[in-house]
């Protein structure tokens, strides 16, 4: 650690101590987008910055319930270390955890000093650097939905949870009628105090479902804030004795939760290069090419933006989740919507993702596809109109996780940008998850088949 860095760490440590902070929570995203990390005492922060915190690399290969995938560099290699160093630029006090500050950690291979292939944050950095040879900056605005659940005292409950505030018909509302306990107000205030630059929130379509929007910013910062947002929402709900879930479709009696990305590109002067007042639909050639790239690689992107078995239960003609590969002008049925604003607000809204998507991988995938479309000067088809449910007008997205993984593996152009080591690890990890699901006997199967002769 350089003398300059050591002095900066000392100053930050003293400032934190003056605020009553005595613990720093260092977190980093795994391949699922879950936060992994460690709480360290404040006096250990200089050592953590200088030397790093040791974790097993195999944590990247470990599923939500502890199942392990055999990916190179993990179990069969003796579970070697990765080193995680606190990124002090992300350090902030946690409003709901007195005496604790949190930050995101940078992951490195201790033998080489280089990022490890499975690190989502570093993958996004890699893709950002490719955007037309680094001449353009990606600006992203994430929109995330989640469902809030209360414990269900009914012993017959299949999952042990039930919807919070089960009052239908309160879509796009605020106040106590759709949120009787004031969950949303407490949450947006806590997120604002965390420095996430929340722009607002509301009750969504289903009972217990909320959407909170984050202001647009540069892509890596947007992914960092979406990552911290999801972790914070779960922590805040837990403190209320509730469960906040980002499952794509958590319950049979409702819809799904989306993760929409608003994307624009700006040049070195800060000018939005998607805007063209004299262009078709007010879009520039660059915007059209980026749009075409997203559409061309949408089947492969499904693996990154719809990354679970459950993801594909959110799609269908009777939903507002896009399931055909199309685009539209201010049309929420489209996979890519072009909102009506122009000028500096000209952007693509990629509506493919669901809330389980890892923010780093989702943004990296969309940026990679946009980059490929621009580099190849691809053109999109005509915009769709109406509901856009006619298979004769556009191809369908993959209908399951297995087909999406196959599409990702087959998309050589996209996998070249993302890197074969990452793609191979991701495919192995997700195919193991799919295999576990296919072996699992569900309650639906028992009810359907147990009594047949």
């Amino acid at each position: 650690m350089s003398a300059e860095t050591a002095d900066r760490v000392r100053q930050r440590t003293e400032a934190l101590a003056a605020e009553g902070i005595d613990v720093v929570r260092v977190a980093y995203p795994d391949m699922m987008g879950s936060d992994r990390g460690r709480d360290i005492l404040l006096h250990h922060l200089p050592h953590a910055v200088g030397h790093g915190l040791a974790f097993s690399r195999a944590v990247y290969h470990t599923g939500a319930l502890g199942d392990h995938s055999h990916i190179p560099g993990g179990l069969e290699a003796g579970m070697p270390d990765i080193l995680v160093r606190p990124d002090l630029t992300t350090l902030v006090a946690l409003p709901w955890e007195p005496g604790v500050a949190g930050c995101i950690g940078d992951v490195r291979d201790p033998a080489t000093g280089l990022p490890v292939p499975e690190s989502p944050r570093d993958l996004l950095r890699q893709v950002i650097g490719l955007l037309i040879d680094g001449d353009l900056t990606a600006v992203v605005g994430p929109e995330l939905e989640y469902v809030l659940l209360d414990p269900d005292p009914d012993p017959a409950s299949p999952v042990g949870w039930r919807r919070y505030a089960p009052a239908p018909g309160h879509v796009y509302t605020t106040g106590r009628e759709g949120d009787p306990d004031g969950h949303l107000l407490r949450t947006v205030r806590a997120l604002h105090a965390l420095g996430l630059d929340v722009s607002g929130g509301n009750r969504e379509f289903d009972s217990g479902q909320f959407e909170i929007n984050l202001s647009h910013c540069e892509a890596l910062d947007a992914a960092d804030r979406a990552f911290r947002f999801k972790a914070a929402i779960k922590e805040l709900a837990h403190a209320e004795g509730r469960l906040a879930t980002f499952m794509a479709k958590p319950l049979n009696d409702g819809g799904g939760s989306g993760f929409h990305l608003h994307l624009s590109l700006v040049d070195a002067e800060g000018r939005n290069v998607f805007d063209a007042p004299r262009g078709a639909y007010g879009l520039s050639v660059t915007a059209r090419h980026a749009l075409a790239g997203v559409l061309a690689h949408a089947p492969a992107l499904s693996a990154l933006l719809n990354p679970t078995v459950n993801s594909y239960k959110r799609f269908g003609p009777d939903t507002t989740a896009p399931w055909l590969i199309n685009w539209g002008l201010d049309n929420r049925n489209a996979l890519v919507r072009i909102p009506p604003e122009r000028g500096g607000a000209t952007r693509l809204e990629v509506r493919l993702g669901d809330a389980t998507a890892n923010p780093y991988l989702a943004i990296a995938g969309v940026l990679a596809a946009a980059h490929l479309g621009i580099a190849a000067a691809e053109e999109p088809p005509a915009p769709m109109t109406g509901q856009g449910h006619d298979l004769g007008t556009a191809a369908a997205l993959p209908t399951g996780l297995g087909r999406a993984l196959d599409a990702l593996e087959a998309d050589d152009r996209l996998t070249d940008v993302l890197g074969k080591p990452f793609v191979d690890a991701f495919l192995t990890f997700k195919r193991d998850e799919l295999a576990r699901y296919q072996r699992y006997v569900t309650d639906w199967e028992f009810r359907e088949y147990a009594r047949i002769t």
Side-chain angles (χ1 to χ4, degrees):
M1 183 165 55
S2 69
E4 179 182 356
T5 302
D7 187 56
R8 181 161 49 92
V9 174
R10 178 185 57 78
Q11 292 174 357
R12 292 302 301 272
T13 301
E14 291 174 354
L16 290 170
E19 296 175 26
I21 301 293
D22 63 348
V23 170
V24 175
R25 178 166 298 163
V26 184
Y28 61 98
D30 63 13
M31 286 205 291
M32 297 177 290
S34 299
D35 56 321
R36 309 279 184 159
R38 184 173 299 158
D39 287 342
I40 61 172
L41 293 172
L42 181 60
H43 72 265
H44 190 67
L45 182 61
H47 177 85
V49 172
H51 299 279
L53 304 172
F55 291 82
S56 169
R57 182 174 166 184
V59 73
Y60 283 120
H61 315 153
T62 304
L65 297 180
D67 301 279
H68 189 83
S69 297
H70 292 276
I71 295 171
L75 191 63
E76 78 289 346
M79 295 187 290
D81 276 351
I82 53 173
L83 290 180
V84 180
R85 290 185 174 88
D87 179 351
L88 296 183
T89 66
T90 66
L91 193 60
V92 63
L94 302 183
W96 59 86
E97 196 81 72
V100 180
C103 70
I104 299 173
D106 277 324
V107 180
R108 293 294 180 266
D109 183 328
T112 65
L114 299 174
V116 295
E118 302 95 323
S119 170
R121 198 169 187 236
D122 289 295
L123 176 67
L124 177 54
R125 282 186 172 123
Q126 167 191 318
V127 173
I128 288 171
L130 293 175
L131 283 170
I132 309 303
D133 300 322
D135 291 337
L136 297 176
T137 297
V139 176
V140 176
E143 291 183 356
L144 275 154
E145 297 170 340
Y146 63 95
V147 173
L148 189 66
L149 303 172
D150 280 324
D152 191 343
D154 184 352
S157 169
V159 294
W161 298 93
R162 63 184 181 187
R163 290 183 184 279
Y164 162 72
H170 291 279
V171 61
Y172 293 161
T173 61
T174 57
R176 295 304 175 100
E177 189 170 1
D179 179 16
D181 192 41
H183 162 82
L184 182 62
L185 287 179
R186 285 195 302 275
T187 300
V188 295
R189 285 169 175 154
L191 296 175
H192 174 72
L194 189 61
L196 294 189
D197 198 11
V198 171
S199 61
N202 56 264
R203 231 293 300 266
E204 254 296 335
F205 189 83
D206 286 330
S207 299
Q209 187 181 49
F210 296 91
E211 178 179 272
I212 296 177
N213 299 332
L214 303 174
S215 298
H216 63 277
C217 59
E218 293 189 13
L220 182 61
D221 188 24
D224 283 344
R225 291 192 294 124
F227 167 64
R228 302 184 87 166
F229 168 88
K230 294 176 77 172
I233 291 293
K234 290 184 283 188
E235 285 284 297
L236 292 165
H238 183 76
E240 297 177 358
R242 297 182 168 111
L243 172 67
T245 179
F246 290 91
M247 278 182 68
K249 185 177 171 67
L251 300 169
N252 282 311
D253 64 345
S257 292
F259 181 7
H260 301 163
L261 296 172
H262 292 252
L263 168 66
S264 59
L265 298 177
V266 299
D267 61 19
E269 286 72 45
R271 185 182 67 88
N272 186 331
V273 300
F274 281 178
D275 180 50
R278 293 184 177 86
Y281 313 113
L283 300 177
S284 69
V285 171
T286 301
R288 296 201 312 270
H289 293 340
L291 168 60
V294 172
L295 297 177
H297 299 280
L301 290 177
S302 292
L304 301 175
L305 279 80
N306 310 118
T308 71
V309 170
N310 178 258
S311 295
Y312 297 84
K313 298 179 180 179
R314 170 176 165 264
F315 291 118
D318 58 343
T319 72
T320 56
W323 60 285
L324 296 182
I325 303 172
N326 53 23
W327 71 283
L329 297 165
D330 198 15
N331 191 323
R332 285 179 170 83
N333 294 309
L335 188 149
V336 180
R337 169 181 173 253
I338 308 298
E341 298 93 341
R342 293 296 181 265
T346 308
R347 63 195 187 275
L348 314 182
E349 181 189 1
V350 180
R351 298 174 59 81
L352 172 61
D354 67 65
T356 50
N358 180 330
Y360 298 95
L361 301 186
I363 295 173
V366 169
L367 292 185
H371 164 72
L372 289 169
I374 295 169
E378 297 172 348
E379 288 288 344
M384 55 84 76
T385 58
Q387 288 188 299
H389 291 166
D390 184 357
L391 272 169
T393 63
L397 290 165
T399 55
L401 179 59
R403 292 184 178 182
L405 295 173
D406 291 344
L408 175 61
E409 184 174 29
D411 193 330
D412 293 336
R413 294 173 63 208
L414 189 68
T415 58
D416 283 347
V417 173
L418 299 177
K420 183 174 172 55
F422 161 75
V423 172
D424 286 348
F426 182 82
L427 290 173
T428 299
F429 184 72
K430 283 296 171 179
R431 282 175 172 152
D432 282 356
E433 179 182 318
L434 180 59
R436 292 195 302 274
Y437 169 75
Q438 290 170 336
R439 292 192 300 266
Y440 188 79
V441 178
T442 66
D443 59 343
W444 182 91
E445 291 170 278
F446 187 86
R447 290 196 308 271
E448 190 80 4
Y449 305 129
R451 291 176 175 82
I452 65 174
T453 57

